[in-house]
């Protein structure tokens, strides 16, 4: 992993090769500058804990022929839990600490959030976590092997609350095909949102999808109450939780 110890390019100034995605992405890139503590964690840990994802053009793209090899990157064989949009890493680090028998892969495009996750992982002393700075749909579409994921978590994806932007939302019927591709038989996809209309969309997507089955559920006990979730609650928002499974193949 020759470049992992170097700070990634600042998205605000980086220039990408002239290649563009045909489909809109479901995320926005935020500032890429690292604090001194974040940079220290990156320099010390990225080579081991941040996957060296080969790019197909943009700095969150994934070369289609690249594959994640969990046995190699974790150094063991264990059930794999994948979190999409791990933010600052509160949930994935807490889960990795609570469940040393599982391996965790966090997919996040916000580089300072990845660095903060490294800081938290070091403080917690967990080693069963890896991170990928990558577009989630490309990770699920090609990089992760079929039936290789025990659980998939999608906590509070960007709601794209303006009407003209809702087409960018991650949770759609086509996305459920990618979910079904990577989940093992009996595996679980867990979702949550604090936007009422996105909750309605999630319910409709799960009901309409031929690839997964499920619906609303009680709050997942394994999800820690992050500052982000608490902020939504403080504003009077209701948290909508869902779970879905892949029908028997």
């Amino acid at each position: 992993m020759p470049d992992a110890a170097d700070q990634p390019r600042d998205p605000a100034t980086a220039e990408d090769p002239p290649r563009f995605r045909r489909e809109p992405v479901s995320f926005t890139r935020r500032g890429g500058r690292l604090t001194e503590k974040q940079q220290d964690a990156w320099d010390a840990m990225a080579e081991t804990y941040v996957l060296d994802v080969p790019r197909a053009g943009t700095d969150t793209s994934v070369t289609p022929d690249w594959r994640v090899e969990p046995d190699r990157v974790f150094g063991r064989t264990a059930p794999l839990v994948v979190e999409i949009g791990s933010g600052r890493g509160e949930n994935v680090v807490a889960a990795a600490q609570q469940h040393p028998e599982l391996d965790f892969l966090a997919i996040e495009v916000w580089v300072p959030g990845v660095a903060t996750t490294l800081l938290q992982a070091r403080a917690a002393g967990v080693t069963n976590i890896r991170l990928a700075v990558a577009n989630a749909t490309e990770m699920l579409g090609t990089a992760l092997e079929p039936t290789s994921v025990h659980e998939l978590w999608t906590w509070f994806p960007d709601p794209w609350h303006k009407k003209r932007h809702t087409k960018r939302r991650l949770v759609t019927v086509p996305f459920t095909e990618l979910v079904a591709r990577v989940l093992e038989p009996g595996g679980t996809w867990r979702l949550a949102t604090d936007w009422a209309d996105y909750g309605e969309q999630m319910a409709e997507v799960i009901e309409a999808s031929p690839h997964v089955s499920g619906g609303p559920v009680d709050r997942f006990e394994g999800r820690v109450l992050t500052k982000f979730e608490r902020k939504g609650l403080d504003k009077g928002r209701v948290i909508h939780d869902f779970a879905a499974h892949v029908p028997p193949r």
Side-chain angles (χ1 to χ4, degrees):
M1 198 170 153
D3 297 323
D6 297 326
Q7 180 179 339
R9 297 179 298 168
D10 180 354
T13 60
E15 295 184 359
D16 291 315
R19 177 177 175 134
F20 303 92
R21 296 186 177 95
R22 294 182 179 179
E23 300 296 330
V25 295
S26 62
F27 58 86
T28 55
R29 296 298 302 275
R30 291 179 281 172
R33 298 292 184 185
L34 302 185
T35 66
E36 185 176 344
K37 287 184 178 181
Q38 289 173 334
Q39 185 68 59
D40 175 69
W42 189 279
D43 292 343
M45 302 177 66
E47 186 171 357
T48 299
Y49 293 97
V50 180
L51 302 187
D52 187 17
V53 181
R55 305 303 180 185
T58 63
D59 56 4
T60 59
S61 63
V62 181
T63 300
D65 60 358
W66 179 73
R67 300 291 180 267
V68 177
E69 302 175 70
D71 292 0
R72 182 182 62 81
V73 299
F74 288 97
R76 67 173 186 173
T77 300
L80 179 65
V81 177
V82 175
E83 181 178 7
I84 296 174
S86 52
R88 299 176 182 274
E90 298 101 319
N91 268 299
V92 72
V93 171
Q97 189 173 30
Q98 186 175 2
H99 294 283
E101 76 281 7
L102 302 177
D103 288 335
F104 293 84
L105 173 61
I107 302 172
E108 176 58 61
V109 298
W110 182 38
V111 173
V114 173
T116 299
T117 304
L118 294 174
L119 278 168
Q120 293 198 60
R122 181 164 62 184
V126 298
T127 59
N128 56 331
I129 183 173
R130 298 294 185 271
L131 300 104
V133 180
N135 180 13
T137 58
E138 294 177 64
M139 290 292 290
L140 270 59
T142 58
L144 288 163
E145 295 284 1
T147 70
S148 64
V149 176
H150 177 63
E151 286 199 0
L152 179 68
W153 297 348
T154 311
W155 306 135
F156 306 99
D158 194 322
W160 293 101
H161 58 278
K162 293 183 179 180
K163 187 174 182 179
R164 67 179 183 272
H165 291 155
T166 55
K167 65 183 179 181
R168 295 181 177 271
R169 286 178 172 174
L170 180 68
V171 180
T172 61
V173 171
F175 181 70
T176 65
E177 185 173 4
L178 302 181
V179 172
R181 174 186 176 274
V182 299
L183 278 179
E184 68 184 18
T188 304
W189 179 29
R190 303 187 187 278
L191 311 86
T193 182
D194 59 357
W195 284 86
D197 69 324
Y198 205 175
E200 293 173 1
Q201 178 173 327
M202 289 179 176
E204 292 169 358
V205 164
I206 293 171
E207 183 177 2
S209 173
H211 310 291
V212 299
S213 61
V217 293
D218 292 336
R219 188 183 191 280
F220 178 49
E221 293 182 357
R223 187 175 77 242
V224 301
L225 184 61
T226 63
K227 292 181 180 179
F228 181 90
E229 184 173 351
R230 187 180 297 279
K231 184 178 179 180
L233 292 171
D234 290 344
K235 291 182 177 180
R237 294 176 186 157
V238 176
I239 310 300
H240 304 271
D241 276 81
F242 301 88
H245 306 272
V246 179
R249 293 178 171 88

